[in-house]
Amino acid sequence: MDKILSGQSCIPQSQPPQTLQRRHASSGPEDTALKQTALYDLHIQHGGKMVPFGGFSMPVQYSDLSVGESHKWTREKASLFDVGHMVQHRLSDPAASLLLEKITPTSITALSSYHSTLSCLLHPSTGGIVDDTVITRLGPETFYLVTNAACRSKDLAYLKEQIAGSPHPEGIDHQVLDNWGLIALQGPLSSEILQNALLAAKATDLDGHEEFDLQTLFFGQCKHFILNLPSSPEATPILVSRGGYTGEDGFEISIPPPLTQTFTSFLLANAGPERLRLAGLGARDSLRLEAGMCLYGHDLNDDTTPVEAGLAWVVHKDRRVGGGFHGDGVILRQLKSKKEGGTPPEKRRVGIVVEGAPAREGAKIVSVDEAGEGEEIGYVTSGCPSPTLGQNIAMGYVRNGMHKAGTEVGVLVRGKRRKGTVSKMPFVKSRYWKQTAGGTAPG
């Protein structure tokens, strides 16, 4: 869901061709004054190369590793990303669940406490994606949401309008957790690193228990911990959520303002540089593309529905029967075949492996015919060389019917046609820590 700046490596180009649909630029700030996260000084101390991003000054990489090296480090060990630029929200009130059921296709009533789900905020009537979001239920009447930094103004205006138009607007308490920290610990060593850090920090859960095992906290689950560090200004709980944006096992940690720098520095020092390094936006982008994850403003926008975007799974089963969410008339028809009386989408998001030069955002995708000509059938939305696979990978939209894995297409890169093959995503197998029927396993 995060958005990555334009520039180098896997980072999308900032100016798509005029023929592409309107997009909300993810790389440009919403005003001219760049903000800083609570970890800005830490980035400078570690040689962070700072760039404008979503209204913030953020590190694209650090002096110790190149973007490619940082990518591989994350896949093999663990990396720590500052994602404090993203917008954290808290919604409270019995009417909050009704609001979320209206503006998303998620089955909020079925979401258990301390469980999370990826979802989409939807436009009324069209079902277009306002933004993608992670929704967490913290209690019977309390929800925690994370939305994208570059969509901040749009999202806040949208939520204000939707709350005002809800049946019981007076009771809904919407708080934006400004100045809170948010870090993402990602990679195969993440669980061990965080377990050791919490034990060293003498952490307890909200019931005061000192003994806990992160192996029992699975993908899509979260837990509050209270830290007892000598330099902690107060015993305010942090929220540890298992998940992330890289395809690796990992955690996203929401930290109250007084603790952000303290805990992040403690986490780095406790793990040591042989196991844990800071990583920037450059590696985060190539990692998420290998994982087949969308980038709002590029792979998602206001004019694209979840079905078109290959996110039909965010429309939960009970919502497919009863509807009752924004754009349900459009989305539910797209989910049905023509034989069932549906209206399949005209375009589909796909992954593509490209031979030769890497395809960047805006590159045209064409069909392949015997004459070697073909017609335009789509466009690339993200693309880069894959450090893990040693191949050029891309994501984009093609005409419905051309989206099946194995379909050969042409991709126009710098005016030259390159051979492309539609591929299933993720490109690299995900390694989330999930609970399975036979026990636990990454997958």
Side-chain angles (χ1 to χ4, degrees), residues 40-323:
Y40 178 84
D41 291 343
L42 184 72
H43 300 318
I44 299 301
Q45 293 168 10
H46 285 79
K49 179 182 178 182
M50 310 304 288
V51 296
F53 173 68
F56 285 78
S57 180
M58 297 294 293
V60 65
Q61 66 181 99
Y62 296 85
S63 58
D64 59 338
L65 296 173
S66 68
V67 171
E69 290 170 339
S70 184
H71 177 113
K72 292 179 179 179
W73 185 278
T74 309
R75 291 273 185 246
E76 297 170 1
K77 297 184 180 183
S79 294
L80 193 64
F81 301 84
D82 179 11
V83 288
H85 60 296
M86 300 185 74
V87 188
Q88 301 178 70
H89 312 251
R90 185 174 290 136
L91 282 170
S92 303
D93 190 68
S97 61
L98 296 177
L99 171 70
L100 291 173
E101 290 251 334
K102 186 67 176 178
I103 64 178
T104 77
T106 299
S107 181
I108 299 297
T109 55
L111 188 63
S112 301
S113 291
Y114 288 95
H115 283 69
S116 305
T117 184
L118 178 68
S119 190
C120 298
L121 305 178
L122 301 173
H123 282 291
S125 303
T126 67
I129 300 172
V130 178
D131 200 0
D132 54 328
T133 180
V134 175
I135 302 174
T136 303
R137 184 189 285 273
L138 295 179
E141 302 174 0
T142 304
F143 298 89
Y144 166 72
L145 283 72
V146 179
T147 56
N148 286 301
C151 294
R152 179 187 174 100
S153 293
K154 181 180 71 164
D155 289 348
L156 293 182
Y158 171 86
L159 289 171
K160 181 178 180 180
E161 180 183 11
Q162 295 302 314
I163 291 172
S166 66
H168 305 285
E170 66 285 346
I172 299 177
D173 180 22
H174 176 214
Q175 300 178 43
V176 178
L177 305 181
D178 280 333
N179 301 317
W180 279 58
L182 188 63
I183 57 176
L185 175 63
Q186 301 284 292
L189 299 184
S190 294
S191 183
E192 175 190 337
I193 288 171
L194 184 58
Q195 179 83 43
N196 291 340
L198 292 176
L199 290 173
K202 300 178 181 179
T204 62
D205 62 20
L206 294 185
D207 296 321
H209 298 140
E210 296 181 1
E211 295 184 3
F212 52 86
D213 185 359
L214 289 179
Q215 294 296 86
T216 64
L217 186 71
F218 300 109
F219 179 79
Q221 298 180 356
C222 60
K223 190 177 182 69
H224 276 115
F225 291 98
I226 296 177
L227 305 177
N228 291 285
L229 294 168
S231 55
S232 297
E234 56 184 81
T236 305
I238 63 173
L239 180 65
V240 174
S241 304
R242 197 148 201 167
Y245 193 56
T246 65
E248 293 292 332
D249 183 25
F251 305 86
E252 293 193 345
I253 307 170
S254 176
I255 314 172
L259 289 175
T260 303
Q261 294 186 55
T262 300
F263 179 66
T264 303
S265 296
F266 177 82
L267 186 60
L268 287 165
N270 193 71
E274 70 280 358
R275 295 193 299 166
L276 179 64
R277 300 282 185 96
L278 288 166
L281 297 170
R284 189 167 169 82
D285 194 40
S286 54
L287 288 160
R288 71 91 192 169
L289 184 51
E290 287 187 345
M293 295 186 177
C294 295
L295 177 64
Y296 194 89
H298 299 260
D299 312 305
L300 304 175
N301 60 33
D302 294 286
D303 304 314
T304 303
T305 69
V307 181
E308 294 170 329
L311 300 176
W313 54 271
V314 306
V315 186
H316 292 175
K317 290 183 178 180
D318 61 322
R319 308 307 308 276
R320 299 185 182 202
V321 177

Side-chain angles (χ1 to χ4, degrees), residues 319-385:
R319 308 307 308 276
R320 299 185 182 202
V321 177
F325 54 89
H326 285 339
D328 56 356
V330 174
I331 291 172
L332 295 182
R333 284 197 304 272
Q334 289 182 339
L335 288 169
K336 295 180 179 180
S337 66
K338 289 184 177 180
K339 291 183 179 179
E340 297 172 317
T343 309
E346 295 183 358
K347 62 180 181 179
R348 301 271 190 175
R349 181 173 66 94
V350 297
I352 302 175
V353 175
V354 183
E355 296 184 5
R360 305 293 186 179
E361 180 182 5
K364 294 180 180 179
I365 302 172
V366 297
S367 60
V368 175
D369 58 23
E370 294 181 359
E373 296 296 332
E375 59 178 330
E376 184 175 347
I377 58 170
Y379 51 88
V380 171
T381 54
S382 296
C384 72

